[in-house]
Every structure is written in structure tokens, then in C-alpha cells.
């Protein structure tokens, strides 16, 4: 573990600079992701309108973005978008869809080649498992960038989503995290006011 920490320290400056450059790019271009994102959202809304109706059933209390750990190991980088009531993963009527945020992950291989090039100047031998483990650590930064993009995409879609008033709880939580872990609340939204408020 000490060696992994040494490897991370050696490239942290490069990676932090790369992450800031990527953040600026994503915030300027995230709208390119809207078509695919909105399509997934509206498909889930359609399911939820059918499942929840206007009766006394539980209403949607959360929209979430979770990262399946398998997507890191297979390098598919697909995320799970979902909508659920207060029971979250235990909600039998939840809707989920896989979503690939291409702009966030399309250059990962190139970034890791640069990481390896930098490390080879400072370390005599690099093991494959070390690079793989380091990549998992570094991808956490991209996950945080994705969460920022996720909030922007939701902001753009929120007026349309909240138009389906019968399916929402009074307060909607926007959540993110790793699949089946305790999610983090990114934002809370009063659905009656239809205005986002910071968590």
C-alpha cells in the first residue's frame, strides 16, 4: 500500500491539473450529453407514471446516479440512473436505466498512458496490478466530475420532470454513490416550488 501511495503522490499534480482542465471542458460541453440523458429520464418517467398513477401508492422521493463497481473492472463505465421512493434500492417499483456518459470517460485510456509515462521516469518497474489499482483511485475524481455534470443535466430537465406532479414526494433528493453503498445527497428539491436548493 505504501508503494501505491507513492505512485499516487508522484502523479497527483498531473492528475489534478488534468481534472481541472476536464472540469472546464465538461461544464462547457455537458449539453452534448443531454439527448441520451433526457431520453433515459423520460423513459423512466413513463414507467413511473404507469406504476405510481395518481392513487395512494408511494411517490418518488429520489433520483439517483450510482456507479456499479463492475463497470470499472470491465471498463464499460456505464452508470445506473434511477428513480425510487423512500425505500430506494428496496423499492420494487423503482425504475433504473444504464447510461454511458461518454464525454466523461472517452479519454481515460490516453490519460492512463500519460500516467504510466510519467511514472516510468520515477520508478524502475511498474506492475500491472499497481496501475490498475491506481486507475481505480484516480477514477474517483472523474466520478466527482460526473456528479457535477449530472446536476447540470438534471437542472436543465427539471421543469419537464416536475410537470408530472402526481408522482413526486414534496421533497426530492438527488443522490449519488457506488451501487448498494450509502448514497450521498447532492441536492434537495422542493417539488412544489420547482426550484433547486443546495443540500
Amino acid at each position: 500500500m505504501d508503494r501505491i501511495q507513492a505512485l499516487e503522490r508522484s502523479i497527483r499534480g498531473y492528475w489534478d491539473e488534468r481534472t481541472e482542465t476536464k472540469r472546464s471542458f465538461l461544464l462547457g460541453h455537458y449539453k452534448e450529453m443531454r439527448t441520451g440523458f433526457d431520453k433515459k429520464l423520460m423513459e423512466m418517467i413513463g414507467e413511473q407514471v404507469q406504476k405510481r398513477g395518481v392513487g395512494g401508492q408511494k411517490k418518488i422521493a429520489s433520483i439517483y446516479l450510482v456507479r456499479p463497481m463492475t463497470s470499472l473492472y470491465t471498463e464499460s463505465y456505464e452508470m445506473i440512473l434511477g428513480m425510487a421512493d423512500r425505500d430506494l434500492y428496496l423499492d420494487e417499483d423503482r425504475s433504473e436505466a444504464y447510461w454511458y456518459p461518454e464525454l466523461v470517460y472517452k479519454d481515460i485510456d490516453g490519460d492512463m498512458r500519460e500516467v504510466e509515462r510519467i511514472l516510468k521516469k520515477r520508478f524502475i518497474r511498474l506492475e500491472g496490478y499497481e496501475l490498475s489499482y491506481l486507475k481505480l483511485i484516480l477514477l474517483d475524481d472523474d466520478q466527482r466530475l460526473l456528479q457535477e455534470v449530472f446536476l447540470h443535466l438534471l437542472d436543465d430537465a427539471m421543469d419537464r420532470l416536475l410537470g408530472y406532479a402526481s408522482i413526486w414526494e414534496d421533497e426530492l433528493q438527488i443522490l449519488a454513490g457506488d451501487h448498494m453503498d450509502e448514497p450521498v445527497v447532492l441536492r434537495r428539491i422542493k417539488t412544489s416550488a420547482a426550484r433547486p436548493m443546495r443540500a
Side-chain angles (χ1 to χ4, degrees):
M1 190 55 78
D2 288 344
R3 177 157 158 107
I4 292 291
Q5 290 171 345
L7 292 171
E8 184 183 1
R9 283 194 301 271
S10 293
I11 53 87
R12 184 42 76 179
Y14 158 74
W15 197 265
D16 287 347
E17 184 178 318
R18 166 260 186 208
T19 299
E20 281 309 307
T21 300
K22 192 169 188 175
R23 172 180 282 113
S24 295
F25 172 81
L26 288 171
L27 294 180
H29 293 83
Y30 79 91
K31 289 181 186 282
E32 295 172 24
M33 303 167 71
R34 274 183 62 179
T35 302
F37 182 83
D38 286 357
K39 182 178 179 187
K40 300 285 186 186
L41 278 183
M42 297 316 292
E43 287 172 356
M44 289 191 292
I45 286 289
E47 286 180 17
Q48 288 299 309
V49 167
Q50 288 183 342
K51 289 178 179 180
R52 311 277 174 183
V54 292
Q57 298 176 348
K58 293 182 179 178
K59 297 185 177 191
I60 299 170
S62 61
I63 295 176
Y64 53 89
L65 175 72
V66 294
R67 176 175 64 173
M69 297 312 289
T70 54
S71 76
L72 296 179
Y73 297 112
T74 63
E75 299 183 343
S76 70
Y77 306 118
E78 281 191 314
M79 301 294 139
I80 298 173
L81 284 172
M83 298 178 179
D85 65 21
R86 293 175 191 269
D87 294 331
L88 198 55
Y89 303 129
L90 300 178
D91 176 12
E92 293 181 1
D93 288 327
R94 72 184 181 278
S95 291
E96 293 184 339
Y98 283 97
W99 173 55
Y100 171 53
E102 181 180 4
L103 276 188
V104 178
Y105 291 104
K106 69 177 182 178
D107 294 326
I108 294 299
D109 290 339
D111 292 338
M112 289 308 297
R113 282 193 295 273
E114 182 63 13
V115 163
E116 188 172 357
R117 187 189 69 76
I118 293 169
L119 290 175
K120 281 183 175 177
K121 292 179 179 178
R122 301 174 188 169
F123 294 87
I124 294 173
R125 174 189 281 167
L126 293 172
E127 301 291 344
Y129 77 88
E130 291 174 324
L131 290 170
S132 295
Y133 195 84
L134 186 60
K135 183 177 181 180
L136 294 178
I137 293 170
L138 298 174
L139 282 172
D140 283 344
D141 290 344
D142 281 7
Q143 185 67 10
R144 285 185 282 275
L145 291 180
L146 176 58
Q147 290 173 6
E148 289 182 42
V149 169
F150 175 53
L151 288 175
H152 284 290
L153 289 168
L154 276 179
D155 281 346
D156 289 352
M158 196 54 65
D159 285 343
R160 264 184 308 142
L161 294 180
L162 295 182
Y164 296 88
S166 65
I167 63 173
W168 304 108
E169 287 276 6
D170 291 339
E171 182 177 85
L172 177 64
Q173 294 188 61
I174 308 303
L175 308 173
D178 289 332
H179 191 242
M180 300 308 288
D181 281 355
E182 185 70 26
V184 173
V185 178
L186 300 180
R187 186 173 292 166
R188 290 184 174 86
I189 296 168
K190 296 293 185 186
T191 57
S192 56
R195 296 295 300 168
M197 298 186 308
R198 292 285 171 188

